[in-house]
Amino acid sequence: EATPPRATAGGGTPSTPELSGYYSTGDSPRVVVMGGGNVGHILQTDQILNGLSVRLLFRGDGSAKDRISPATGPILFKESLHGSETPVVRAPEHFGYLDTPQGLADMQQAAILVCTIPDAPPARMKLFNDLQEKGLVQDPNKTIVLIRGGQAGQPVLSQMIRDNPNWKATVVLVEDSPYGGRYVDKDPSGLIADTKRKDDVEISILAPNGDIRQGLAAMRSMFPLGEAIGKPSWPNFTVIDGSAMPFKFGYAIHPRVAFDETNLAITRGNATYSHYNEGVHPALGEVLERLDQERVQLAAAYGVRAETFPEKLQRQFGLPLFPDEPFFRTMQRTWKDVRDPNADPNARPIY
């Protein structure tokens, strides 16, 4: 197998490393997805769609509730941003449980572990400790991927790695999910992975000697459709310095929408609304814009140039930006009826 050119430690994005030999055969999955939420199901289905070896491990041991049977069978992978729908079949062997001997064996043998477990600090602390106690961090050929890696415990994890001389695995911190979307398991028509594939996602890589090649190759290998957008992968992965990752917290926007009095009244009435557009009215838009600017200013105090939330939407989804446009108006352009010929050409069906 060809040896890829050596990358500069810690930053930049080198050309695509050689990925031949990366796809496993046999019973051991090459990729293990940890966690059965929206991101876990969408990622697993996308891996199967692209012919890759993957297993999703639900939390627990399965004794309390069977989560595998309801998830097996046909599922529709619906990519709403670019307008494609592809049927996929998930078999029982695509699933397992974390707290079982087979689950441990899967994690030990996999080349890539992707953690989609919620980014709450207690859950992440348990994960970090489990990875060490189960002997999963000693393998220099293993890559551990944390979705929303900067949002819960990054400084603690970095210190754990420094303090553990046996930690040889590469760790990839991903700013957020590679997709917008959700896993629909209660639609009368069947299971649906309703998703929007992002164009660009930023990552930081913690690796021995600052060598980012293995982590970047692992990420690109899981998303092999880059030719469609003229990039090494889709999403394209841009490597950023670790100091910038904690300021990627888009979740600063989410709770303020949910706990807005107008939206709480809708929720109390058992009605629904589209969170990021219908949920953002002009007055709330002003508050969210101030929160967003505070985040940018906080990052600047630490020497980090953080993008605004609208800039992030442009990078990830191609949403056009307009100088001095109010935050409220920008968020109204994150919804679009693609069937309407008179729809705003500067809108995108993001949320």
Side-chain angles (χ1 to χ4, degrees), residues 119 148 186 189 192-193 197 219 321 334:
D119 50 337
R148 298 189 182 94
K186 293 179 173 60
S189 65
I192 301 173
R197 194 185 301 275
M219 295 302 297
L321 292 185
T334 63

Side-chain angles (χ1 to χ4, degrees), residues 4 11 26 63 68-69 119 175 177 194 219 281 312 322 328 347:
S63 60
I68 293 178
S69 297
D119 50 337
E175 62 169 324
S177 171
D194 188 359
M219 295 302 297
H281 52 77
K312 179 178 178 177
F322 300 102
F328 162 74

Side-chain angles (χ1 to χ4, degrees), residues 101-330:
Q102 183 60 53
L104 177 58
D106 289 340
M107 289 187 284
Q108 289 172 334
Q109 296 166 17
I112 304 173
L113 303 180
V114 184
C115 174
T116 68
I117 292 169
D119 50 337
R124 285 291 168 96
M125 281 299 297
K126 183 179 185 304
L127 169 70
F128 299 156
N129 290 324
D130 284 351
L131 290 173
Q132 295 179 94
E133 291 172 3
K134 293 177 178 178
L136 299 172
V137 303
Q138 290 95 322
D139 184 355
N141 296 314
K142 192 178 297 295
T143 299
I144 301 169
V145 179
L146 300 179
I147 303 298
R148 298 189 182 94
Q151 294 186 8
Q154 179 183 344
V156 175
L157 173 62
S158 298
Q159 192 60 49
M160 281 184 172
I161 295 174
R162 294 188 191 100
D163 293 341
N164 185 346
N166 295 318
W167 194 304
K168 306 298 183 183
T170 291
V171 177
V172 179
L173 308 173
V174 186
E175 62 169 324
D176 53 25
S177 171
Y179 323 85
R182 59 199 178 97
Y183 171 64
V184 182
D185 60 355
K186 293 179 173 60
D187 191 283
S189 65
L191 300 176
I192 301 173
D194 188 359
T195 182
K196 296 98 177 175
R197 194 185 301 275
K198 295 176 181 177
D199 291 333
D200 183 270
V201 172
E202 292 182 339
I203 61 176
S204 294
I205 300 176
L206 310 179
N209 302 314
D211 188 347
I212 68 174
R213 293 178 299 166
Q214 176 176 309
L216 183 58
M219 295 302 297
R220 287 174 171 173
S221 70
M222 288 191 292
F223 300 90
L225 303 179
E227 185 176 346
I229 60 170
K231 299 289 184 179
S233 60
W234 187 9
N236 180 55
F237 293 102
T238 301
V239 181
I240 64 172
D241 192 81
S243 63
M245 188 57 68
F247 300 101
K248 295 291 177 183
F249 53 98
Y251 63 80
I253 302 296
H254 189 92
R256 186 59 183 84
V257 176
F259 291 106
D260 176 74
E261 284 297 333
T262 300
N263 296 329
L264 280 174
I266 296 173
T267 303
R268 291 189 190 104
N270 293 321
T272 60
Y273 61 91
S274 179
H275 192 89
Y276 285 109
N277 40 72
E278 292 177 322
V280 180
H281 52 77
L284 178 56
E286 294 179 6
V287 175
L288 296 176
E289 188 160 17
R290 290 198 298 271
L291 282 173
D292 200 37
Q293 287 301 325
E294 286 181 12
R295 178 182 57 82
V296 172
Q297 292 164 9
L298 178 63
Y302 286 89
V304 173
R305 195 278 175 192
E307 62 191 350
T308 66
F309 194 73
E311 287 173 337
K312 179 178 178 177
L313 293 176
Q314 181 188 47
R315 172 173 57 83
Q316 291 187 340
F317 296 106
L319 183 73
L321 292 185
F322 300 102
D324 302 321
E325 180 180 55
F327 193 92
F328 162 74
R329 287 299 315 154
T330 302

